[in-house]
């Protein structure tokens, strides 16, 4: 092989590497455009919002859907201040849940209720929030869900006066395990940002 042929191969290899890097960068930029779904739980709300703020500082952009109960319970103005969402909807999004989830690879649930976890586990898309989460799982999207608000073993529940029988706890734990089996990535509110980044890294590693 001549020197010119070797140089040509080297140039082609560099071009392929550059194109691959550009593809990865575009995919990462798309994955950093996240759809955020809040349902009506305020357990660990401060920790979840701090984690979301760290994602925002790392270049993530958001569109946010709050259920009506979440809007009544959480500080919507503070969520807007920290996340700087491109759009924020209360109860009803600007598009159908199916249209929304089709546009996003990353769906983040910083606050999930026992009810939402149970309904999604039972494949019930009876609210816009549940429909977004369920449709995301059906499409194989990265759905990262903080379990603080729907985990029966969270210490805050007992402080709030919840003393559940063990069979009830087992049922609620079972809902979470069902969500995990559907492909949801479960995490705590304070580590939500870490879980989101791990999810992105795993998807990129499969390319």
């Amino acid at each position: 092989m001549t020197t010119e042929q070797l140089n040509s191969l080297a140039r082609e290899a560099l071009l392929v590497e550059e194109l691959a890097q550009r593809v990865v960068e575009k995919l990462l930029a798309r994955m950093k455009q996240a759809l955020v779904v809040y349902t009506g739980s305020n357990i660990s709300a401060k920790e979840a919002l701090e984690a979301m703020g760290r994602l925002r500082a790392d270049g993530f952009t958001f569109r946010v859907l709050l259920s009506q109960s979440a809007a009544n319970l959480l500080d919507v103005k503070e969520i807007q201040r920290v996340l700087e969402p491109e759009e924020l909807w209360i109860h009803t999004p600007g598009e159908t849940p199916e249209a929304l989830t089709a546009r996003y690879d990353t769906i983040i649930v910083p606050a999930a209720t026992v009810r939402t976890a149970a309904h999604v586990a039972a494949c019930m898309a009876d609210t816009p929030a549940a429909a977004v989460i369920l449709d995301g799982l059906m499409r194989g999207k990265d759905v990262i869900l903080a379990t603080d608000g729907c985990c029966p073993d969270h210490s805050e529940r007992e402080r709030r006066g919840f003393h559940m029988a063990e069979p009830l706890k087992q049922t609620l734990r079972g809902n979470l395990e069902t969500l995990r089996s559907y492909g949801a990535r479960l995490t705590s509110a304070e580590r939500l940002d870490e879980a989101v980044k791990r999810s992105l890294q795993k998807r990129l590693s499969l390319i």
Side-chain angles (χ1 to χ4, degrees), residues 30 33-35 63 100-107 141:
R30 175 183 165 89
Q33 297 172 349
L35 181 60
R63 281 183 169 82
L100 272 179
T101 57
R103 292 170 51 195
Y104 291 91
D105 294 323
T106 307
I107 299 171
K141 305 290 185 172

Side-chain angles (χ1 to χ4, degrees), residues 66-97:
L66 293 96
S67 68
Q68 188 62 59
S69 60
N72 294 338
L73 193 62
L74 301 174
D75 188 337
V76 178
K77 288 185 178 179
E78 184 65 4
I79 290 172
Q80 289 178 310
R81 185 189 72 78
V82 174
L83 302 189
E84 302 178 80
E86 296 178 0
E87 292 185 81
L88 185 146
W89 304 288
I90 294 176
H91 182 60
T92 304
E95 303 175 60
T96 66

Side-chain angles (χ1 to χ4, degrees), residues 35-39 65 96-102 104-109 112 115-145 175 178-186:
L35 181 60
V36 181
V37 182
Y38 279 93
T39 64
L65 169 65
T96 66
E98 294 78 11
L100 272 179
T101 57
Y104 291 91
D105 294 323
T106 307
I107 299 171
I108 305 173
V109 188
R115 174 181 174 178
T116 298
H119 284 207
V120 176
C123 299
M124 294 170 57
D126 56 343
T127 66
V132 165
I133 297 168
L134 182 58
D135 193 64
L137 291 170
M138 287 181 170
R139 292 175 186 268
K141 305 290 185 172
D142 287 333
V143 178
I144 304 95
L145 188 147
N175 289 337
T178 298
L179 293 178
R180 193 193 305 276
S181 73
Y182 291 168
R185 299 180 183 275
L186 308 184

